[in-house]
Amino acid sequence: LLSAVCCAMSSMAYSEETKPFTMDGEFGFIMTTGNTETTSVKGKLSAHQELDQWSNDYLVDVLYKKDEVAVSATEVENQTTAQKWFASGQGNYKLENPDHRLFVFGSYEDNRFSNYDYQST
């Protein structure tokens, strides 16, 4: 009976250790009112995938901000002051030596307030 319990516990521990897909997320929201009014939203989602021959990573990051901006001495209006999103993916091919891998990486960034329309690699 004791050996059966130990085997069951070791199989449960093994299933908890080997996670073929994991995901983490973040979300932030700030809203201020008073002398100035601002709203900021930030989100991030990252994922990791383990396969037999591949290890993959994915990332999405988003930022949006709206502020009250003075357009004249007597007039203010709400304007978008930050709008950015970023996405990337990386695939790592596992070689025989566990310390060596070949990888492919791609990313795309669209930032409305940068000097570029978009950036990609």
Side-chain angles (χ1 to χ4, degrees):
L1 179 65
L2 181 59
S3 63
V5 170
C6 290
C7 290
M9 287 175 51
S10 67
S11 68
M12 285 185 349
Y14 178 75
S15 66
E16 289 177 10
E17 290 175 10
T18 57
K19 295 181 180 177
F21 187 79
T22 58
M23 188 177 289
D24 292 318
E26 301 174 10
F27 179 77
F29 177 79
I30 299 173
M31 183 174 171
T32 61
T33 59
N35 293 341
T36 60
E37 295 192 15
T38 64
T39 304
S40 300
V41 178
K42 173 130 174 81
K44 183 176 181 180
L45 189 63
S46 61
H48 180 76
Q49 180 184 31
E50 280 295 330
L51 302 171
D52 290 337
Q53 292 296 317
W54 288 88
S55 174
N56 302 312
D57 294 301
Y58 310 98
L59 176 70
V60 175
D61 196 0
V62 178
L63 170 67
Y64 179 80
K65 185 173 181 184
K66 186 176 269 196
D67 292 327
E68 187 177 77
V69 177
V71 292
S72 69
T74 60
E75 186 179 349
V76 295
E77 68 179 31
N78 287 327
Q79 292 182 356
T80 301
T81 56
Q83 185 175 337
K84 173 182 163 183
W85 71 275
F86 174 83
S88 70
Q90 178 171 332
N92 302 296
Y93 181 73
K94 300 175 184 177
L95 300 174
E96 275 187 44
N97 185 337
D99 295 331
H100 298 130
R101 295 182 182 207
L102 296 174
F103 74 93
V104 175
F105 177 80
S107 70
Y108 180 85
E109 179 178 352
D110 187 347
N111 187 344
R112 182 174 157 192
F113 294 94
S114 76
N115 291 334
Y116 302 101
D117 291 336
Y118 66 91
Q119 295 181 29
S120 63
T121 57

